[in-house]
Amino acid sequence: MSVIDPIPRIETRRLALRAPCMSDATRLALLANDFDIARMTTRMPYPYRQEDAEAFLGRMETLDHAREAAFVIEHEDEGAIGVIALHPSDSFAPEIGYWLGRAYWGRGFATEAAAAVLAWTKSRWGRRALVSGHFADNPASGRVLEKAGFLYTGEVLPRHSEARGEPARTRMMVWLA
Ligand SMILES: CC(C)(COP(=O)(O)OP(=O)(O)OC[C@H]1O[C@@H](n2cnc3c(N)ncnc32)[C@H](O)[C@@H]1OP(=O)(O)O)[C@@H](O)C(=O)NCCC(=O)NCCS
């Protein structure tokens, strides 16, 4: 473990971002067991079972906070509604990824969470660059990233999707603080 600060609680207008814990497993498994979520990500399996949530949360408990960060996105009335995370990537900077339960799409929550995580990335985590990639058939995520300040690099890569069981065209983006 590094001596970097642990995951803080970050408050936004409607949300709180906080460190994941094992007691989130049942709620996250319920929300994430949706092919239309998993197929837009590289790593999430479908079906997404309780044990998948527990494996994810187990990994989050031993994160090296200098290299990786993950937040549960909590809504003030609804409790946990999704996850946003920063992972090491093959590229020059960490990669941001996120998902929300379907019931919470279309209300600006992903944009609100991403903006807060980018502010923390710059001010507290000490990183000035992030990358991200969204599958070409997921324009909503591209829009979230654009609104948060990411730009398209022009690079389009085939990246494997665990849930699809095959690669998908992925439009790469970059954010510079
Ligand atoms: C992608 C996802 C996180 C978006 O969350 P959200 O809270 O609905 O996003 P926001 O409301 O903040 O913003 C969505 C934007 O996409 C736009 N959008 C939605 N569907 C769209 C579509 N089919 N084409 C183009 N834009 C679309 C919305 O209009 C909105 O943009 P606007 O504010 O300019 O109108 C959510 O749909 C999700 O969890 N999807 C499954 C997992 C996933 O895709 N993760 C990202 C992997 S890269």
Side-chain angles (χ1 to χ4, degrees):
M1 291 286 283
S2 82
V3 293
I4 299 285
D5 287 348
I7 302 302
R9 181 180 174 89
I10 301 173
E11 307 269 352
T12 71
R13 188 167 68 82
R14 297 172 293 174
L15 305 171
L17 312 181
R18 59 155 176 86
C21 57
M22 199 45 86
S23 58
D24 292 316
T26 302
R27 172 72 175 161
L28 293 186
L30 188 73
L31 294 174
N33 189 29
D34 180 334
F35 184 61
D36 287 334
I37 295 176
R39 76 187 180 91
M40 293 309 186
T41 73
T42 55
R43 302 179 194 197
M44 290 170 74
Y46 181 79
Y48 193 98
R49 304 183 178 92
Q50 174 87 11
E51 65 225 47
D52 297 308
E54 286 171 3
F56 167 74
L57 292 165
R59 281 199 306 282
M60 296 305 107
E61 281 177 352
T62 59
L63 280 192
D64 175 354
H65 295 299
R67 302 181 66 238
E68 239 175 314
F71 300 85
V72 165
I73 304 170
E74 257 186 12
H75 182 272
E76 53 195 357
D77 302 322
E78 307 279 343
I81 63 169
V83 171
I84 187 162
L86 301 162
H87 299 292
S89 80
D90 297 336
S91 186
F92 62 92
E95 175 154 9
I96 191 168
Y98 42 80
W99 63 267
L100 293 180
R102 183 193 288 265
Y104 308 104
W105 294 358
R107 292 193 254 164
F109 292 142
T111 303
E112 189 169 323
V117 167
L118 295 186
W120 173 81
T121 295
K122 180 180 172 185
S123 65
R124 307 295 304 181
W125 207 36
R127 303 299 189 104
R128 309 301 297 243
L130 293 176
V131 296
S132 194
H134 71 86
F135 293 145
D137 59 2
N138 189 9
S141 185
R143 193 68 199 114
V144 168
L145 292 165
E146 275 186 324
K147 287 191 290 179
F150 280 75
L151 298 172
Y152 284 100
T153 65
E155 200 176 16
V156 180
L157 302 174
R159 296 181 94 190
H160 185 76
S161 166
E162 179 72 25
R164 296 178 196 220
E166 61 184 17
R169 286 179 68 243
T170 308
R171 301 184 67 192
M172 300 308 298
M173 302 184 79
V174 64
W175 171 79
L176 300 175

